[in-house]
């Protein structure tokens, strides 16, 4: 299946760097997923009537070209479902000139009213017939789409001798979506909060800008094993996987009150010199202050 939607960014989509936030792109991808489901007879109203729900699973995302308010974007969405019921979504977000802005791949389940994965015939692709005519025209399917039955996200396990920085966060009820579950965007928001808390406590909010640098979020791998329950307290564990010249790799785990792992994220942050708008080496101040939360 293949669908396209068009979206224009707004001022309220911007972050502190005045760029469109990472969560906005996931919201655009979510809109693309729901639009595609609607096109095969599974509108929001139909899903709710049947008590079906979409449950997020894994995501890989790359941010390719910064966008600002007023950007006119195209969200190109394709999907197929494997034999386990897992739906593989491919989203390519492009600007008005066709330049790639964000490449986002995710997996999710469509669950029935007994919380079992549903099989959707129109989302199955015959490997011997790699042509999809669902968009009203013949579109050749990339064979690589058929090769990953999960995203197989590889994350570095936190070494036992490394103690992460931890924070407790209450899961708000107001992040519930139409299915009365947390969406992937709500989980992304926890990770974003954890990143800010880490910077605030270890490096200092705004300390990077005082030395004429900032960090850009380049890409991320996200795994959701179990959605947090609203009203509960989760623990955010944060540490640094590695620092490499002009970038660092940040790791976070979300656990429930019993220590059960609910979700993990690994993201790449690029240091940029503000005055030159060019990548720069990781500041020595950052290297020194984060030593406690990474392995040498």
């Amino acid at each position: 299946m293949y669908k396209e939607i068009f979206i224009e960014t707004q001022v309220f989509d911007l972050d502190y760097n005045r760029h469109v936030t990472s969560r906005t792109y996931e919201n655009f991808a979510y809109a693309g997923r729901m639009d595609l489901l609607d096109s095969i007879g599974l509108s929001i109203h139909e899903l709710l009537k049947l008590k079906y729900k979409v449950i997020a699973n894994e995501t890989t995302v790359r941010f390719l070209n910064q966008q600002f308010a007023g950007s006119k974007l195209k969200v190109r969405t394709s999907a197929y479902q494997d034999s386990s019921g897992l739906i593989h979504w491919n989203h390519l977000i492009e600007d008005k000139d066709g330049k790639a802005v964000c490449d986002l791949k995710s997996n999710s389940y469509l669950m029935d009213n007994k919380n079992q994965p549903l099989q959707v015939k129109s989302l199955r692709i015959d490997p011997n017939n790699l042509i999809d005519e669902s968009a009203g025209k013949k579109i050749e399917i990339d064979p690589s789409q058929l090769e990953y039955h999960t995203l197989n996200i590889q994350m570095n396990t936190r070494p036992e001798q490394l103690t992460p920085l931890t924070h407790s966060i209450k899961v708000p009820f107001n992040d519930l979506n139409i299915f009365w579950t947390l969406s992937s965007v709500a989980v992304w928001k926890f990770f974003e909060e954890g990143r800010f808390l880490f910077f605030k406590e270890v490096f200092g909010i705004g300390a990077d800008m005082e030395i004429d640098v900032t960090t850009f979020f380049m890409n991320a791998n996200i795994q959701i094993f179990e959605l947090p329950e609203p009203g509960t307290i989760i623990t955010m564990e944060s540490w640094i996987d590695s620092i490499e010249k002009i970038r660092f790799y940040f790791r976070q785990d979300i656990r429930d009150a019993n220590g059960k792992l609910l979700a993990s994220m690994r993201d790449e942050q690029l240091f940029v010199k503000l005055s030159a708008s060019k990548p720069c080496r990781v500041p020595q101040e950052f290297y020194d202050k984060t030593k406690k939360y990474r392995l040498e």
Side-chain angles (χ1 to χ4, degrees), residues 180-207:
W180 282 78
T181 64
L182 294 184
S183 67
S184 54
V185 153
V187 177
W188 285 36
K189 190 162 67 172
F190 294 139
F191 286 125
E192 190 165 303
E193 186 72 6
R195 194 184 307 116
F196 270 104
L197 289 170
F198 184 90
F199 262 78
K200 178 178 182 293
E201 189 164 329
V202 175
F203 191 54
I205 293 291

Side-chain angles (χ1 to χ4, degrees), residues 237-261:
E237 298 180 344
S238 308
W239 70 99
I240 292 180
D241 257 0
S242 63
I243 296 178
E244 300 177 6
K245 294 183 179 179
I246 60 174
R247 58 178 56 83
F248 69 96
Y249 294 90
F250 193 55
R251 277 283 281 109
Q252 296 189 90
D253 284 345
I254 295 174
R255 297 182 182 273
D256 68 10
N258 298 315
K260 183 178 181 180
L261 183 61

Side-chain angles (χ1 to χ4, degrees), residues 264-292:
S264 295
M265 180 176 190
R266 184 177 192 262
D267 63 70
E268 176 189 343
Q269 300 284 332
L270 180 71
F271 270 97
V272 174
K273 194 76 169 174
L274 284 170
S275 57
S277 297
K278 291 182 179 180
C280 64
R281 293 187 68 87
V282 174
Q284 187 64 41
E285 294 94 326
F286 182 83
Y287 193 87
D288 294 340
K289 290 182 178 180
T290 58
K291 181 178 180 179
K292 179 180 177 181

